[in-house]
Amino acid sequence: MHIMLLPSWYPKNPNDVNGVFFRDQAHALLKHGHKVGVISPQMKSLYSISGKNRKGRFSKFEIDDGVPTYRKQVLAALPRVPYGNYLLFTRVARKLMSDYVREQGKPDIIHAHSAIFGGAAAACLAKEWSIPFVLTEHSSGFYRNVFKKWQLDLVSNVAIAAECCISVSPSLGDLLTDKLSTKNIVWKWIP
């Protein structure tokens, strides 16, 4: 099976530990005989682009131990505009998807990690490319009540569009059922 991962965050290079569990999953799937690739729009703040805060090199494309990995940074320029950064993230995801399909072929499935914004972009790409997608939710932001109503609505729409919804703990799955407008969705638990 050809699986493309679209995480909401991902290591900037193989030495970065931010989102390393997504990278580990890609390599595990590869070792189990699947064709695996990653597209990763990388949100960056104005603060992060100052000279003092640059952490390691940023690799735009690499074959990371057998996993083709496509990255592109996008400035999170619209944090106070509802759907603003989601639209920026999704625009970059579309470009990366086009590059990925042209060079690696069309995947059989998209595995999105965290609805904001990887899952939301995956829902758009899945519809545009006629590819099923699954969503794994990781965010502790639901526990901390950090998401605004428009973000919860976005997550609800993503969950409804997904072929399967996965949470990383049973309590997160229960919380998502309570917080979202998706009472009929069963969140499967995969630790």
Side-chain angles (χ1 to χ4, degrees), residues 12-14 57 59-64 67-71:
K12 292 180 179 148
N13 59 61
R57 74 178 171 84
S59 178
K60 291 183 181 179
F61 172 77
E62 68 182 317
I63 302 293
D64 177 16
V67 177
T69 305
Y70 294 74
R71 299 177 185 92

Side-chain angles (χ1 to χ4, degrees), residues 26-187:
H27 287 106
L29 289 167
L30 183 68
K31 286 179 184 164
H32 280 86
H34 298 285
K35 181 176 180 180
V36 181
V38 175
I39 65 170
S40 177
Q42 309 242 323
M43 299 298 283
K44 63 180 180 175
S45 66
L46 285 171
Y47 178 75
S48 71
I49 61 175
S50 71
K52 297 176 190 173
N53 294 302
R54 294 187 183 164
K55 295 180 180 175
R57 74 178 171 84
F58 178 80
S59 178
K60 291 183 181 179
F61 172 77
E62 68 182 317
I63 302 293
D64 177 16
D65 289 333
V67 177
T69 305
Y70 294 74
R71 299 177 185 92
K72 183 169 175 55
Q73 290 185 325
V74 58
L75 184 61
L78 303 170
R80 297 187 193 275
V81 176
Y83 299 95
N85 283 340
Y86 152 70
L87 294 170
L88 295 172
F89 188 99
T90 300
R91 184 175 70 191
V92 170
R94 280 189 177 102
K95 167 68 172 120
L96 292 172
M97 180 73 169
S98 292
D99 293 347
Y100 183 92
V101 170
R102 184 178 63 253
E103 296 170 11
Q104 307 300 325
K106 185 176 170 182
D108 298 315
I109 194 163
I110 300 169
H111 188 166
H113 289 278
S114 289
I116 299 176
F117 291 114
C124 292
L125 296 177
K127 185 175 181 181
E128 291 166 9
W129 289 85
S130 299
I131 301 170
F133 83 100
V134 297
L135 169 67
T136 298
E137 188 55 63
H138 300 258
S139 181
S140 63
F142 295 99
Y143 289 110
R144 295 180 285 122
N145 292 313
V146 300
F147 298 121
K148 295 178 175 35
K149 183 181 179 329
W150 72 265
Q151 291 170 310
L152 294 174
D153 291 344
L154 182 65
V155 174
S156 293
N157 291 334
V158 170
I160 290 166
E163 297 292 321
C164 180
C165 294
I166 302 163
S167 66
V168 296
S169 74
S171 61
L172 178 58
D174 292 343
L175 181 67
L176 291 166
T177 299
D178 291 342
K179 280 196 175 284
L180 303 177
S181 305
T182 58
K183 303 297 184 220
N184 59 338
I185 291 178
V186 176
W187 288 85

